[in-house]
Amino acid sequence: MPKKERKRLQVVISDEQDALLTRTAYELSSPERLISKSEVVRLAIEKIARELGEGQQTGRLEDYRAILDTADTEDEH
Amino acid sequence: MPKKERKRLQVVISDEQDALLTRTAYELSSPERLISKSEVVRLAIEKIARELGEGQQTGRLEDYRAILDTADTEDEH
């Protein structure tokens, strides 16, 4: 990627989320282009922000909040 | 979150992606529940994996590849 301001993000994820990342990276990869787990994370960030930007009126916010309530996304205490 | 296997994920993101994360965390937050940037990342991982699981036939793979080609998601070399 072009050189510009970069931040190092540290996130603790569950084993299942790590497995999801690996699977997604594999599914997005092709013989011409290998996709890394880091790329999947950056893609996922772009995607969720775009969808939220477009879709607040269509109840996406509720979708996301529902996932937040059920999936293992909460910070450790 | 319940105690189970955890992995520490390190990802380098751009300043814009960091800003997207912050904005998304704010949009998902409510007076009852503050959402952290780490939570947004975990949510985004769950979301992209679910969507890819559901939507391979509907051209989502192409959507994602298009974002990979245009957005700043590539690994540094």
Side-chain angles (χ1 to χ4, degrees), chain B:
Chain B
M1 30 192 183
K3 287 278 166 236
K4 40 173 146 166
E5 294 301 308
R6 292 273 167 261
K7 294 217 159 104
R8 194 165 296 274
L9 185 75
Q10 278 212 40
V11 186
V12 175
I13 58 173
S14 69
D15 258 1
E16 287 113 81
Q17 284 156 352
D18 189 60
L20 287 179
L21 265 187
T22 305
R23 202 190 68 198
T24 306
Y26 172 77
E27 285 174 354
L28 289 170
S29 291
S30 69
E32 291 78 35
R33 174 146 181 214
L34 283 179
I35 302 295
S36 68
K37 293 199 284 185
S38 296
E39 283 180 276
V40 175
V41 171
R42 289 188 290 264
L43 171 64
I45 292 170
E46 300 269 351
K47 202 78 181 65
I48 199 172
R50 285 179 196 202
E51 287 184 355
L52 207 61
E54 291 161 4
Q56 291 211 31
Q57 61 284 30
T58 65
R60 248 186 225 285
L61 210 57
E62 281 66 45
D63 283 1
Y64 289 145
R65 293 217 172 105
I67 296 178
L68 283 169
D69 285 341
T70 54
D72 187 20
T73 55
E74 224 170 315
D75 283 334
E76 282 177 314
H77 300 293

Side-chain angles (χ1 to χ4, degrees), chain A residues 7 9 11 13 42 47 75, chain B residues 7 9 11 13 42 75:
Chain A
K7 294 218 159 104
L9 186 73
V11 187
I13 58 174
R42 289 188 290 265
K47 202 77 181 65
D75 283 333
Chain B
K7 294 217 159 104
L9 185 75
V11 186
I13 58 173
R42 289 188 290 264
D75 283 334

Side-chain angles (χ1 to χ4, degrees), chain A:
Chain A
M1 32 192 182
K3 286 278 168 235
K4 39 174 145 162
E5 292 302 308
R6 293 272 165 261
K7 294 218 159 104
R8 192 166 298 275
L9 186 73
Q10 280 213 39
V11 187
V12 175
I13 58 174
S14 69
D15 259 0
E16 287 111 82
Q17 284 157 353
D18 189 58
L20 287 180
L21 264 188
T22 304
R23 203 190 69 199
T24 307
Y26 172 76
E27 285 175 352
L28 288 170
S29 291
S30 70
E32 292 78 36
R33 174 145 182 215
L34 284 179
I35 303 295
S36 68
K37 293 199 284 186
S38 296
E39 282 181 275
V40 174
V41 171
R42 289 188 290 265
L43 172 63
I45 293 170
E46 299 268 352
K47 202 77 181 65
I48 200 173
R50 284 180 196 200
E51 288 184 356
L52 206 62
E54 291 162 4
Q56 291 212 27
Q57 61 282 29
T58 65
R60 246 185 226 284
L61 209 57
E62 281 65 45
D63 284 2
Y64 290 145
R65 291 217 173 106
I67 296 178
L68 283 169
D69 285 341
T70 55
D72 188 20
T73 55
E74 223 169 314
D75 283 333
E76 281 177 314
H77 300 293

